[in-house]
């Protein structure tokens, strides 16, 4: 039976509503932002019983003034029966955007409704009361439970004193299909690398403007950047100077950086209109992170930024990320674990990896490039860490056992081999900050996919600020680039929302053609346009449509449909002819174009 999107169900009775605790430890404890991200690891969380004790008897005395919601609302990590809802109110008469004052706490009521305008008990589906304090900069993150699968809902937050003292915008989200639901179609929008000073977030705006045709958003990282204005993009002329204007390292720095991004109207609108599933890349902490450092910080004295050594800086970054992003903490014993999975009914599984922060062996830090090239194939190097790698295998096996169609592996860095020799004048053949620097593990994963007959694998990537579409192949495997014979799946890697191309901004068909010619499994390359891609999953095929913008200096709707690439169920390769036989205006097709 085909399940289809339904509108929401049963209203709660009046007695259920009034029985909910508006105050007390429960209203603090229901705020997941205090466990940011781990309840067990105390330097990364706030103990709500301590907050409660600190507030003493006065804790029922919550803020009575007007509230505003300058950062809007957000939802994320939908399951078939629950979702995370987020907001961050500000006291209208106190504090301002970046400040906040310690006293008193804010109390909000959150309401999930089946109706976009009616938030009374007639349409209310779930609600609750939640408190927040200065300890977490008034972040509010709650889990709405007992929802129906593959259903669209509306939600809002309001002052516990009543909506006349402050009500948030109305947000929209969908729940996931139930595990065994046969859904005819799902549409996802996949983003990466959104740098505020480099330009407008037209990619977010474009998706938000037709959000009714989409189901979920994925962001595979570099959602913020850590730099001082001018070090990587100068936002002065566009009024997009990231705050605070220094390279960030403290908890307050990371919090304020998120605040300066989240006032962007296109970003805010995409958060408001769809549930997101996000994972970080390096810049949510620092450039080119690996498990013990980044390009400019580590735990030795000369490697620190601000007052913080790398480990402390990373803890600050992680905590701010969990406060600001509507994501779940899947394992509270494992403080840095963000890797997690979602089941898309029988259509597929969404496996989200952390190829950056969790347990990665040393990467290219600019001063050690030759050294990393020399060890790029070593068996003692790992990108995911052993624990995450075993989990990936279990996820792929479970996907196969439940006979779902598309195993989607969302991660950060480009997986397939891209030979950049021509674009760098022969100085660099491969980017060893990508999977190319971890060739042994890449080979192991492909061997697993081949050996266990995992069908229809699709890898989704960001990080590189350019578009790459590839067949998946073993490094020395038999593969025919014209027909795709021998391929083990496909990879779709998207361009950046705004971060610049490494290949210049002129027409780059020549460079792209040389890149596809030098890399057999690379079937489409494009480096000029900023953008994102949309994935359409059906029981018989998966299609990636790439969208690009030539102009980031204005907020505009001049979007280019760059190309459309499909894989048919059971084919484990891109369909030929590529892009339906059309020559794309931007970029260049590989050998499968005929
Ligand atoms: C809230 O704002 C309204 C006007 O927007 C004002 O009339 C009212 O007095 C304010 N309430 C409080 C408690 O400050
Ligand atoms: C929402 O409620 C209003 C009346 O309060 C009604 O006119 C409208 O049709 C409802 N919308 C939906 C989507 O049910
Ligand atoms: C720490 O970083 C500095 C550069 O900032 C580098 O010179 C040093 O080798 C690094 N230390 C370690 C242990 O990696
Ligand atoms: C990379 O491409 C260049 C030409 O663009 C070629 O000379 C070189 O052999 C290639 N490297 C590999 C490993 O294929
Ligand atoms: C592929 O072949 C080349 C050349 O023989 C070799 O250097 C490389 O290690 C091989 N790669 C793998 C993953 O076996
Ligand atoms: C691409 O390669 C051709 C030779 O095959 C060369 O003439 C051309 O200059 C190259 N283009 C770029 C942009 O490097
Ligand atoms: C993909 O599958 C859907 C549903 O079966 C079908 O309507 C559509 O034409 C297919 N698209 C391609 C490119 O094969
Ligand atoms: C989205 O819609 C708004 C309002 O109609 C418009 O101003 C904006 O340019 C659109 N953005 C994109 C990227 O289409
Ligand atoms: C729209 O973008 C295309 C590039 O995709 C560009 O050629 C065209 O000049 C742009 N049009 C406007 C009105 O900016």
């Amino acid at each position: 039976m085909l399940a289809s999107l339904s509108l929401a169900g049963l209203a709660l009775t009046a007695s259920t509503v009034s029985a909910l605790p508006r105050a007390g430890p429960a209203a603090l404890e229901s705020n997941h932002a205090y466990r940011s991200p781990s309840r067990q690891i105390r330097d990364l969380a706030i103990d709500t019983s301590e907050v409660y004790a600190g507030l003493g008897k006065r804790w029922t005395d919550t803020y009575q003034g007007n509230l505003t919601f300058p950062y809007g609302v957000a939802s994320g990590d939908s399951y078939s029966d629950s979702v995370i809802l987020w907001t961050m109110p500000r006291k209208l008469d106190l504090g301002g955007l970046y400040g906040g004052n310690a006293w008193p706490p804010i109390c909000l009521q959150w309401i999930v409704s089946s109706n976009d305008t009616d938030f009374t008990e007639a349409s209310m589906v779930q609600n609750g009361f939640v408190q927040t304090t200065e300890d977490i900069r008034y972040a509010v993150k709650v889990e709405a439970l007992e929802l129906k699968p593959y259903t669209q809902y509306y939600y809002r937050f309001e002052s516990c004193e009543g909506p006349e003292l402050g009500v948030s915008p109305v947000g929209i989200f969908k729940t996931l299909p139930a595990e065994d639901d046969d859904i005819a179609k799902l549409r996802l929008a996949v983003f990466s690398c959104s740098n505020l000073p480099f330009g407008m977030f037209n990619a977010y705006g474009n998706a938000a403007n037709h959000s009714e045709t989409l189901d979920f958003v994925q962001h595979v990282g570099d959602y913020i950047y850590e730099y001082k204005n001018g070090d990587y993009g100068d936002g002065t002329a566009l009024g997009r100077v990231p705050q605070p204007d220094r390279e960030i390292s403290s908890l307050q720095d990371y919090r304020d950086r998120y605040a300066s991004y989240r006032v962007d109207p296109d970003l805010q609108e995409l958060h408001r209109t769809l549930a997101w599933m996000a994972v970080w890349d390096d810049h949510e902490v620092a450039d080119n992170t690996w498990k013990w450092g980044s390009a400019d910080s580590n735990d030795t004295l000369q490697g620190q930024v601000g007052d913080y050594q790398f480990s402390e800086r990373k803890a600050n970054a992680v905590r701010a990320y969990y406060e600001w992003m509507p994501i779940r903490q899947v394992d509270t014993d494992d403080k840095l674990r963000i890797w997690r999975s979602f089941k898309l009914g029988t259509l597929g599984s969404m496996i989200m990896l952390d190829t950056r922060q969790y347990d990665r062996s040393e990467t290219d830090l600019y001063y050690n490039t030759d050294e990393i090239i020399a060890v790029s194939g070593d068996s003692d190097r790992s990108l995911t860490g052993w624990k995450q790698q075993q989990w990936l295998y279990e996820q792929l096996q479970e996907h196969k056992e439940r006979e779902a169609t598309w195993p989607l592996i969302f991660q950060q860095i480009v997986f397939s081999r891209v030979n950049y020799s021509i674009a760098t004048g022969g100085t660099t053949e491969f980017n060893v900050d990508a999977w190319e620097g971890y060739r042994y593990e890449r080979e192991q994963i492909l061997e697993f996919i081949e050996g266990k007959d995992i069908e229809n694998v699709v890898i989704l990537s960001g990080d590189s600020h350019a578009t790459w579409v590839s067949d998946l192949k073993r490094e020395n495997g038999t593969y025919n680039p014209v027909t795709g014979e021998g391929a083990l799946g496909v990879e779709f890697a998207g361009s950046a929302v705004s971060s610049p191309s490494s290949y210049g901004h002129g027409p780059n068909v020549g460079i792209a053609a040389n890149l596809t010619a030098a890399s057999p499994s690379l079937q489409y390359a494009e480096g000029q346009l900023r953008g994102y891609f949309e994935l359409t999953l059906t029981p018989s095929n998966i299609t990636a449509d790439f969208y690009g913008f030539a102009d980031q200096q204005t907020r505009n709707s001049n979007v280019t449909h760059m190309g459309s690439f499909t894989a048919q169920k059971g084919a484990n390769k891109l369909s030929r002819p590529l892009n339906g036989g059309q020559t794309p205006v931007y970029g260049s097709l590989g050998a499968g174009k005929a």
Side-chain angles (χ1 to χ4, degrees):
M1 199 186 70
L2 283 187
S4 59
L5 185 71
S6 49
L7 283 172
L10 222 61
L12 286 182
T13 61
S15 62
T16 318
V17 172
S18 56
L20 291 168
R22 181 184 147 161
L28 283 170
E29 190 55 22
S30 74
N31 190 347
H32 291 235
Y34 286 106
R35 311 165 201 165
S36 240
S38 172
R39 194 201 296 266
Q40 269 70 25
I41 304 197
R42 280 298 166 204
D43 64 330
L44 284 174
I46 301 268
D47 186 339
T48 52
S49 61
E50 280 167 23
V51 175
Y52 180 61
L55 295 173
K57 284 206 177 68
R58 298 184 302 162
W59 75 279
T60 47
D61 182 14
T62 52
Y63 182 66
Q64 305 288 308
N66 285 304
L67 292 175
T68 59
F69 294 85
Y71 311 109
V73 296
S75 66
D77 279 18
S78 296
Y79 286 167
S80 60
D81 60 354
S82 66
V83 75
I84 299 291
L85 304 176
W86 179 96
T87 193
M88 195 178 278
R90 288 289 180 258
K91 300 169 182 177
L92 188 61
D93 52 344
L94 298 162
L97 279 194
Y98 296 102
N101 58 312
W103 184 259
I106 291 173
C107 179
L108 294 182
Q109 181 178 192
W110 56 270
I111 300 169
V112 175
S113 174
S114 58
N115 186 296
D116 62 341
T117 54
D118 179 18
F119 288 84
T120 68
E121 283 168 33
S123 307
M124 193 186 281
V125 175
Q126 290 290 336
N127 76 326
F129 295 95
V130 59
Q131 288 205 19
T132 182
T133 57
E134 170 69 5
D135 308 84
I136 49 171
R137 293 298 181 277
Y138 298 102
V140 171
K141 210 168 143 180
V142 294
E143 185 179 19
L145 298 166
E146 292 178 52
L147 304 173
K148 294 200 300 192
Y150 203 43
T151 300
Q152 178 163 298
Y153 291 99
Y154 306 91
Y155 66 99
R156 76 178 199 193
F157 296 86
E158 58 189 48
S159 166
C160 290
E161 308 305 317
E164 61 285 357
L165 282 173
V167 58
S168 75
V170 173
I172 307 169
F173 70 88
K174 284 172 198 156
T175 47
L176 286 176
E179 199 173 317
D180 54 2
D181 275 355
D182 297 325
I183 302 287
K185 191 200 274 192
L186 273 179
R187 302 205 65 222
L188 314 176
V190 187
F191 298 85
S192 62
C193 307
S194 33
N195 176 303
L196 187 79
F198 268 119
M200 301 301 175
F201 291 161
N202 293 317
Y204 290 147
N206 185 65
N209 281 2
H210 65 100
S211 61
E212 67 287 350
T213 69
L214 296 165
D215 292 295
F216 303 100
V217 167
Q218 284 68 42
H219 198 297
V220 295
D222 291 350
Y223 176 95
I224 60 159
Y225 282 74
E226 79 282 16
Y227 299 103
K228 173 181 170 29
N229 187 49
D231 281 358
Y232 188 59
D234 187 340
T236 312
L238 293 176
R240 292 169 82 81
V241 174
Q243 299 300 319
D245 188 6
R246 61 172 167 271
E247 183 170 338
I248 56 178
S249 59
S250 72
L251 175 58
Q252 189 58 35
D253 285 351
Y254 283 100
R255 285 169 162 168
D256 289 349
R257 188 56 61 92
Y258 283 96
S260 72
Y261 273 63
R262 283 283 265 275
V263 291
D264 178 89
D266 294 310
L267 173 58
Q268 216 176 84
E269 186 64 1
L270 193 60
H271 271 302
R272 187 186 74 79
T273 50
L274 288 161
W276 288 41
M277 288 92 171
V279 283
W280 52 48
D281 193 357
D282 52 338
H283 292 285
E284 283 87 349
V285 179
D287 185 33
N288 283 14
T289 39
W290 61 290
K291 66 180 162 184
W292 293 330
S294 73
D296 75 354
S297 56
N298 54 42
D299 283 349
T300 64
L301 209 52
Q302 75 271 34
Q304 65 180 31
V305 172
D307 294 330
Y308 298 91
Q309 291 190 329
F310 177 74
S311 301
E312 300 163 293
R313 186 182 186 194
K314 184 162 165 176
N316 293 336
V318 166
R319 190 161 148 192
Y321 186 86
Y322 274 89
E323 285 178 0
W324 279 88
M325 300 300 279
I327 70 169
R328 296 170 189 268
Q329 174 64 23
V330 286
D331 180 351
T332 55
D333 286 332
D334 194 342
K335 68 175 174 176
L336 279 172
R337 174 173 165 175
I338 194 174
W339 33 282
R340 61 202 192 282
S341 63
F342 301 89
K343 295 188 177 82
L344 308 176
T346 59
L347 260 189
S349 306
M350 196 185 287
I351 303 167
M352 306 197 93
L353 302 181
D354 173 359
T355 58
R356 269 299 172 187
Q357 314 289 353
Y358 186 68
D359 199 11
R360 176 176 174 142
S361 304
E362 187 171 348
T363 191
D364 182 353
L365 304 168
Y366 310 120
Y367 54 80
N368 63 350
T369 308
D370 290 343
E371 200 182 301
I372 299 297
I373 290 172
V375 299
S376 67
D378 286 7
S379 61
D380 61 353
R381 282 171 62 72
S382 177
L383 188 63
T384 59
W386 185 84
K387 189 173 169 186
Q388 186 179 190
Q389 189 181 351
Q390 297 312 306
W391 174 84
L392 168 63
Y393 292 167
E394 286 160 21
Q395 293 294 310
L396 290 171
Q397 201 68 53
E398 187 188 339
H399 168 90
K400 186 181 171 182
E401 278 156 21
R402 71 182 188 91
E403 295 177 3
T405 305
W406 305 102
L408 308 179
I409 305 176
F410 287 88
Q411 47 96 54
Q412 291 70 50
I413 58 182
V414 175
F415 189 86
S416 298
R417 257 203 145 173
V418 179
N419 181 343
Y420 297 93
S421 180
I422 196 93
T424 62
T427 55
T428 307
E429 282 192 320
F430 299 107
N431 174 10
V432 289
D433 182 54
W435 279 88
E436 193 61 34
Y438 305 80
R439 287 161 45 224
Y440 180 81
E441 186 181 359
R442 177 173 65 188
E443 203 62 16
Q444 280 189 314
I445 290 171
L446 289 169
E447 201 177 308
F448 182 88
I449 290 168
E450 189 173 37
K452 303 285 180 188
D453 286 321
I454 311 292
E455 296 276 324
N456 306 313
V457 171
V458 182
I459 295 184
L460 299 313
S461 321
D463 182 69
S464 82
H465 312 179
T467 302
W468 313 102
V469 175
S470 302
D471 285 322
L472 297 179
K473 69 177 279 282
R474 300 279 296 268
E475 196 171 300
N476 295 325
T478 315
Y479 166 74
N480 180 333
V482 176
T483 62
E485 202 183 325
L488 299 170
V490 302
E491 176 178 15
F492 299 122
S495 183
V497 169
S498 61
S499 302
S501 173
S502 310
Y503 309 99
H505 285 284
N508 71 341
V509 175
I511 293 177
N514 285 341
L515 289 170
T516 51
S519 307
S521 65
L522 179 62
Q523 298 291 350
Y524 178 58
E526 201 289 318
Q528 184 178 352
L529 300 185
R530 309 302 80 216
Y532 75 108
F533 62 102
E534 295 183 2
L535 274 182
T536 306
L537 288 74
T538 76
S540 51
N541 60 56
I542 187 166
T543 297
D545 284 286
F546 290 86
Y547 295 96
F549 294 82
D551 175 14
Q552 293 305 118
Q553 300 309 300
T554 62
R555 203 173 163 213
N556 69 79
S557 56
N558 185 18
V559 63
T560 301
H561 183 215
M562 298 156 65
S564 186
F565 299 88
T566 297
Q568 299 294 333
K569 182 182 178 182
N572 301 312
K573 59 168 189 165
L574 297 162
S575 296
R576 270 70 171 172
L578 300 168
N579 194 34
Q582 305 285 306
T583 302
V585 175
Y586 289 89
S588 179
L589 299 175
K593 66 180 168 222

